[in-house]
Amino acid sequence: MTALKLLSRTKLYWGLIAIFLIGVLGSPMSSKGNNIFLSYGNLLDVLRQVSTTGLIATGMTAVIITGGIDLSVGSLMAICSVVCAMLLTVPGVTPGVVLGVPTVALVALCLGFVVTRFIFQNLAKSRAGADLLREIKLDGIRGVVTPAVVGVVLCCLSLWFLLPQIEPKFGVLGVLLVAPCVGLLFGALNGFIIVAGRLQPFIVTLAMMVTALGIARLTAGQNNAVLPVYTGSNATADFEILRSLVFGIIPMPGLFFLGAIVIYGAVLRFTPFGRYVYAIGGNEEAARLSGIAAGRVKIATYAVSGLLAGIAAVLYVAQYRQGKPDAGAGLELDAIAAVVIGGTSLMGGRGSLIGTFCGVLIFGLLSNILQLHNINSNLQLVLKGMIIIGTVLVQERNAGDLLAYLRLPGGLSAHKETAAAKRPSQETPSLNLGGNKK
């Protein structure tokens, strides 16, 4: 492997290293002469701040790899933050309870049915030695009755756990169950409409973005633009654990983010589901003809995206001590930018979660550097936009093309001439339009 190819393949990591070095060398110093950027507290703040965007970007990566897009994640996070804050602070039957508890019951019922049926199908395939892509018909007991019973049992268990928490207000585990389930349901609805209606993901998720924002405002109430959450006062003191340092080393939101990257990355890398995601993004029609249930895979990716938005909402409430209908405004754009900076192609079929992780860190370190230098917030937006364009340009082109463009003042023409010289010369045939034949 030549040095140029190695540089091209590792350019994302070099970009992350370059941003980090810029932060180190250009960092202001504290009164004691310490590098502020390199301080442990500052780096922890960076990880804490990028965790919400990172969770959203983790789910967005698989969606984009399939060739889709999800513009609704910001609004889904907003509605989940409202539900979370209301469950924590308001006792009794509230709009948050009406929306959240039935959603958990429905998700438990469907999840129990789908997972049990999936297990039975794979057991039957392994016994028959059949191709994993081929559908195997199950009998009524294994195909319907047993999955339905498992789903009903999970539904009853979830209600048994949640219903006693309605009157005294919900605890940490309660909101960690309800909010992600709300996000999962809306995300799955996105995928179902896209697949069943054969609609463009952009249009469907744009409509869901507006719809979820309206539902979030209706749930919060017209007089509740912000739902404050004060641990130990109007909410359980245990909720403070979600903004604490684990073993005094890593912030809890960062642990959720890293866990999501590792788990979902392993799923995409080592499981058939991950291979199906890449196959659909590469050529959905070919994947469908080869026997892949493309519709189910796409629904699952949107459902996971909504699930991670719900988890991000709970961490948002813990970090900022509030839930509000516009909590995730513009977050979907930050997530998409981080995913694209990480090397995932918007055309689908190419990308990785390790790249998304680097993209999220680049975005977070850049914001931190600008803040440390007290750059005007409006100028920060301009600089971020320019850096995003430059980074994506590098990701979408190989190093050889860039060097050819920059080699001479007339780099573009030189590049074309070089490319033409490499092709075998061909004589252009002349057209004889009624002329004399020689």
Side-chain angles (χ1 to χ4, degrees):
M1 181 183 295
T2 64
L4 191 61
K5 289 183 178 179
L6 180 62
L7 179 63
S8 179
R9 292 187 178 184
T10 59
K11 54 194 172 187
L12 176 64
Y13 308 105
W14 287 110
L16 178 59
I17 293 172
I19 289 289
F20 188 82
L21 290 178
I22 290 173
V24 173
L25 297 177
S27 172
M29 297 295 177
S30 66
S31 58
K32 297 181 179 180
N34 297 325
N35 190 299
I36 297 179
F37 179 81
L38 278 180
S39 66
Y40 187 65
N42 181 67
L43 295 179
L44 283 184
D45 285 341
V46 172
L47 181 58
R48 187 188 298 274
Q49 291 168 6
V50 302
S51 296
T52 301
T53 304
L55 282 169
I56 301 292
T58 301
M60 185 75 73
T61 301
V63 170
I64 293 179
I65 290 175
T66 63
I69 198 75
D70 191 353
L71 300 178
S72 67
V73 285
S75 295
L76 295 188
M77 196 192 92
I79 190 174
C80 291
S81 75
V82 169
V83 170
C84 176
M86 189 168 287
L87 294 179
L88 285 168
T89 60
V90 185
V93 178
T94 63
V97 170
V98 173
L99 177 61
V101 174
T103 296
V104 175
L106 179 60
V107 169
L109 179 64
C110 296
L111 199 61
F113 184 90
V114 171
V115 172
T116 305
R117 184 179 173 86
F118 175 80
I119 292 174
F120 278 130
Q121 281 186 335
N122 280 274
L123 288 175
K125 288 177 181 179
S126 62
R127 290 172 183 172
D131 185 1
L132 287 176
L133 297 180
R134 199 183 76 187
E135 287 289 340
I136 290 183
K137 293 183 178 180
L138 300 174
D139 55 64
I141 299 296
R142 294 181 300 168
V144 178
V145 177
T146 303
V149 170
V150 173
V152 170
V153 170
L154 285 179
C155 177
C156 293
L157 288 175
S158 64
L159 292 176
W160 172 80
F161 175 69
L162 294 176
L163 291 178
Q165 302 184 52
I166 293 177
E167 195 58 38
K169 293 187 294 191
F170 278 65
V172 179
L173 294 179
V175 295
L176 278 175
L177 176 62
V178 174
C181 283
V182 172
L184 186 149
L185 179 64
F186 279 97
L189 184 60
N190 271 335
F192 178 79
I193 295 174
I194 290 169
V195 172
R198 298 182 180 180
L199 300 176
Q200 289 294 328
F202 180 90
I203 298 299
V204 174
T205 57
L206 179 64
M208 181 59 75
M209 177 180 70
V210 178
T211 303
L213 179 60
I215 295 175
R217 290 176 176 174
L218 291 173
T219 303
Q222 294 183 353
N223 298 325
N224 291 322
V226 176
L227 297 171
V229 177
Y230 304 118
T231 54
S233 176
N234 66 345
T236 175
D238 295 339
F239 195 64
E240 189 72 16
I241 193 174
L242 293 181
R243 65 192 311 270
S244 62
L245 292 178
V246 180
F247 303 116
I249 300 175
I250 182 172
M252 183 65 77
L255 192 63
F256 274 87
F257 172 42
L258 295 176
I261 286 286
V262 171
I263 295 173
Y264 208 15
V267 169
L268 293 179
R269 178 67 176 84
F270 300 111
T271 67
F273 173 81
R275 293 193 290 272
Y276 299 164
V277 167
Y278 283 96
I280 292 169
N283 191 323
E284 183 174 347
E285 187 62 26
R288 186 177 288 108
L289 292 175
S290 67
I292 296 175
R296 298 178 190 175
V297 173
K298 292 172 73 174
I299 292 174
T301 59
Y302 283 95
V304 173
S305 179
L307 172 72
L308 293 175
I311 296 175
V314 178
L315 298 176
Y316 173 90
V317 174
Q319 183 172 349
Y320 295 100
R321 302 180 186 276
Q322 64 180 5
K324 55 181 182 177
D326 61 345
L331 192 60
E332 62 280 348
L333 301 181
D334 289 345
I336 293 172
V339 172
V340 175
I341 287 174
T344 299
S345 173
L346 287 173
M347 301 302 293
R350 177 169 61 86
S352 68
L353 278 177
I354 187 63
T356 296
F357 178 72
C358 292
V360 170
L361 289 183
I362 288 174
F363 216 72
L365 290 174
L366 174 62
S367 299
N368 183 255
I369 292 170
L370 296 176
Q371 290 171 6
L372 288 178
H373 287 83
N374 294 320
I375 303 297
N376 181 274
S377 59
N378 296 320
L379 182 57
Q380 287 187 32
L381 296 177
V382 175
L383 293 176
K384 285 182 182 179
M386 295 174 62
I387 291 174
I388 289 172
I389 293 176
T391 306
V392 174
L393 177 64
V394 172
Q395 291 294 340
E396 294 297 328
R397 290 187 175 275
N398 60 51
D401 285 340
L402 291 176
L403 291 176
Y405 273 71
L406 299 174
R407 188 177 301 160
L408 295 171
L412 179 59
S413 59
H415 174 67
K416 289 182 178 180
E417 292 173 3
T418 303
K422 291 182 179 179
R423 293 195 299 267
S425 60
Q426 295 180 354
E427 187 176 356
T428 304
S430 59
L431 297 178
N432 191 342
L433 302 178
N436 297 327
K437 296 182 179 180
K438 294 182 181 181

